[in-house]
Amino acid sequence: MVLRWTSEPAGDAIVDIVLSLNKQALKLHKQEVATASYSRIQSSLMDLDQIARKIEEVEREIQELEGHPGRYLRAMVNAYRYFARSLQGDALPYSEYVLNIQQLPSALIAEETMRKQKQVVEEGLANLGYKGNLKEKAEQWHKETLIPPDRVVEVAESMREKSKEGTLNRIISLPEEDGIDWIKPITGVFWSGYSKYTGNYRGNLTFNIDRPWTEPVLAQIMAHEGYPGHQAFYCRWDYLFQQGKLPIEASYYLINSPTNALFEGGPESALHFLGWDRDEEEAEGVPLEKKRQYKLARDYIDMQRMAQTNACFLFNDGDIDKTEAIEYMKTEGNLSEVEAANCFRFFSDPIQKTYYPSYYYGRWMVGKGYDAIAKEKRAAFFAQLYDTPHTTNTFIDAISQMTGTDFRPFDQEKKAKEDFVL
């Protein structure tokens, strides 16, 4: 039985719009943006004009739809329109695209926030016995934990079953058919790791070995791409849809939509969900010393992401050029030349530039939401994150209701650009 929030024609049209946007993204930029679709509906809209007309039809249908389905679908359909406008090259301000596509701000992260994060990283390195300034400590840490490129897949494989065990024990259930069929290396791409859902509860993972990998950082990205990250999300949604528990109007994943901060924020917090970074959690035989390494890696990635996200905003607003963006990331985030160049390729890409902010904002929205929830309510939190179709705004409201307080995850990260000094 297919669960529906709207009439059959409207629900089917929503999926048609998503898959037709995917067809246009493939045609224009050779990129897949509908990375999962669980129904049997196929795309039928041949160009952006047909997509725009279908969006108008759906908007009329959902205009009076009440409650959570109405809020969710009106935000999604608005995002379809703005994503289509970006595909046809409309020169709107970057902040307008990010706000309407993802329901996210695009103000620069405050220097004070970045300074505090660097301090957290430096203290973590010092606690592990490293000496010198931040750069010197980080270089020592990287050298001691570095994985040779030809061993990246082997180390990732060693984490697969442990992370799945932790996911099933304390986060969500998955169908018996779930699994990752293979993990492979790749070169020449701008991303670090990629989870490809192939259907029937199966997926594959790929890791970019052009960039340097350390074991603590790889653990973070393995949890992000596999369990309880993207593979778990994809598989769980497929299972829910087949069971008639996920509406057809949400039976897909679309890059550049208001669901992105959840889809990236959950995986960005995935290792934290497992308890692999917390002393008080018993976690799949992960020893205390390794947990401290993993906690440091998360803090280090957060430090880098702040610099990367500011560079993204500054470049896409036209305030800095490519050379300045790369230098900013190397200076403020301690990225290597390869990491900074890859990140620039990511957030300057015509499709990914409006997606990139979901990593930083999703990390803080989901991570802060999880930490705000009492331990006995974590199952309810995971039901919101994995099982309930949410936009950025509806998820924030759900956390507010669960905690009984006004959940405002982005406030302390905001800072007006005119007050920011390079």
Side-chain angles (χ1 to χ4, degrees):
M1 184 186 78
V2 176
L3 176 64
R4 293 184 180 274
W5 279 349
T6 63
S7 67
E8 184 172 344
D12 291 0
I14 286 169
V15 181
D16 190 357
I17 290 167
V18 168
L19 298 181
S20 297
L21 284 168
N22 184 63
K23 184 187 294 183
Q24 291 302 310
L26 285 166
K27 176 182 176 182
L28 295 169
H29 301 292
K30 297 182 175 59
Q31 289 193 52
E32 182 181 55
V33 294
T35 56
S37 182
Y38 307 120
S39 71
R40 296 183 179 181
I41 295 170
Q42 302 294 316
S43 62
S44 71
L45 308 172
M46 302 308 295
D47 54 39
L48 291 169
D49 288 338
Q50 287 189 19
I51 291 172
R53 288 193 291 272
K54 187 62 69 172
I55 288 172
E56 291 178 358
E57 291 177 20
V58 171
E59 274 192 321
R60 288 193 292 270
E61 178 80 16
I62 65 173
Q63 188 173 7
E64 303 300 326
L65 187 62
E66 297 180 348
H68 178 82
R71 288 188 67 199
Y72 177 89
L73 289 178
R74 283 188 288 273
M76 292 295 287
V77 173
N78 180 62
Y80 304 155
R81 173 183 287 108
Y82 272 86
F83 184 25
R85 292 188 69 177
S86 74
L87 287 173
Q88 68 187 20
D90 289 3
L92 299 178
Y94 181 70
S95 59
E96 184 175 349
Y97 273 127
V98 173
L99 181 63
N100 282 278
I101 289 175
Q102 295 206 68
Q103 293 185 331
L104 293 175
S106 53
L108 291 167
I109 301 155
E111 288 181 314
E112 179 63 13
T113 301
M114 296 176 69
R115 185 192 66 78
K116 288 180 179 178
Q117 189 62 31
K118 288 180 182 179
Q119 185 176 357
V120 168
V121 171
E122 193 152 10
E123 289 175 355
L125 287 163
N127 289 339
L128 290 178
Y130 297 104
K131 307 294 184 183
N133 60 30
L134 173 59
K135 186 175 181 62
E136 290 166 342
K137 290 188 184 84
E139 286 176 353
Q140 296 169 42
W141 177 54
H142 286 157
K143 184 177 180 180
E144 290 188 9
T145 58
L146 191 66
I147 304 168
D150 61 358
R151 290 197 61 235
V152 168
V153 168
E154 174 190 340
V155 176
E157 288 274 13
S158 73
M159 301 170 180
R160 174 167 47 178
E161 292 308 315
K162 287 198 296 185
S163 60
K164 181 172 180 177
E165 178 186 348
T167 299
L168 297 176
N169 286 343
R170 62 176 64 85
I171 301 171
I172 55 169
S173 63
L174 297 169
E176 290 185 5
E177 299 92 332
D178 164 81
I180 294 169
D181 290 320
W182 51 253
I183 304 173
K184 292 183 179 180
I186 195 171
T187 58
V189 296
F190 53 70
W191 38 263
S192 294
Y194 186 74
S195 177
K196 172 63 177 176
Y197 188 68
T198 55
N200 299 314
Y201 311 130
R202 311 297 292 183
N204 301 318
L205 305 185
T206 313
F207 290 94
N208 179 6
I209 59 171
D210 281 337
R211 57 153 291 171
W213 285 101
T214 68
E215 196 273 347
V217 168
L218 182 60
Q220 300 286 337
I221 308 305
M222 184 62 189
H224 179 117
E225 302 298 345
Y227 305 105
H230 289 324
Q231 170 61 21
F233 274 92
Y234 281 135
C235 180
R236 179 75 175 179
W237 291 343
D238 197 348
Y239 175 77
L240 291 173
F241 179 73
Q242 305 308 330
Q243 296 295 309
K245 297 178 180 179
L246 183 75
I248 196 167
E249 294 87 350
S251 63
Y252 52 85
Y253 180 68
L254 176 67
I255 286 172
N256 286 327
S257 74
T259 64
N260 297 160
L262 286 98
F263 185 67
E264 295 299 344
E268 283 288 276
S269 304
L271 188 138
H272 187 55
F273 295 163
L274 292 171
W276 287 13
D277 60 350
R278 299 200 299 283
D279 294 355
E280 73 274 14
E281 294 278 346
E282 291 187 15
E284 291 72 56
V286 179
L288 179 59
E289 182 61 28
K290 188 151 286 191
K291 288 185 177 185
R292 291 173 179 167
Q293 289 275 354
Y294 291 168
K295 170 67 166 57
L296 173 59
R298 180 67 262 170
D299 291 335
Y300 193 85
I301 292 169
D302 288 340
M303 178 190 74
Q304 291 189 314
R305 188 74 73 191
M306 290 176 181
Q308 292 167 312
T309 303
N310 272 356
C312 170
F313 292 152
L314 290 164
F315 175 78
N316 284 297
D317 282 337
D319 296 318
I320 59 177
D321 61 19
K322 175 182 178 179
T323 300
E324 292 168 322
I326 289 174
E327 190 58 34
Y328 177 85
M329 288 185 280
K330 290 165 61 178
T331 301
E332 296 298 327
N334 204 38
L335 276 78
S336 68
E337 182 74 31
V338 170
E339 290 171 315
N342 281 347
C343 185
F344 177 82
R345 288 173 62 194
F346 203 146
F347 65 60
S348 62
D349 180 86
I351 296 289
Q352 302 295 337
K353 67 181 182 181
T354 41
Y355 186 76
Y356 192 78
S358 66
Y359 291 92
Y360 172 76
Y361 283 117
R363 157 78 177 120
W364 294 106
M365 180 181 74
V366 175
K368 287 181 179 180
Y370 177 80
D371 287 341
I373 299 296
K375 190 171 184 178
E376 61 270 18
K377 293 184 178 179
R378 284 179 183 167
F381 172 85
F382 290 134
Q384 291 293 333
L385 180 62
Y386 286 89
D387 297 354
T388 308
H390 272 299
T391 66
T392 297
N393 288 346
T394 63
F395 182 77
I396 289 172
D397 288 348
I399 299 301
S400 295
Q401 292 172 11
M402 291 181 72
T403 60
T405 60
D406 187 15
F407 180 58
R408 303 178 71 176
F410 306 142
D411 280 3
Q412 73 181 51
E413 277 75 45
K414 293 183 184 179
K415 185 173 177 66
K417 185 188 301 180
E418 57 267 23
D419 295 333
F420 190 88
V421 179
L422 280 172

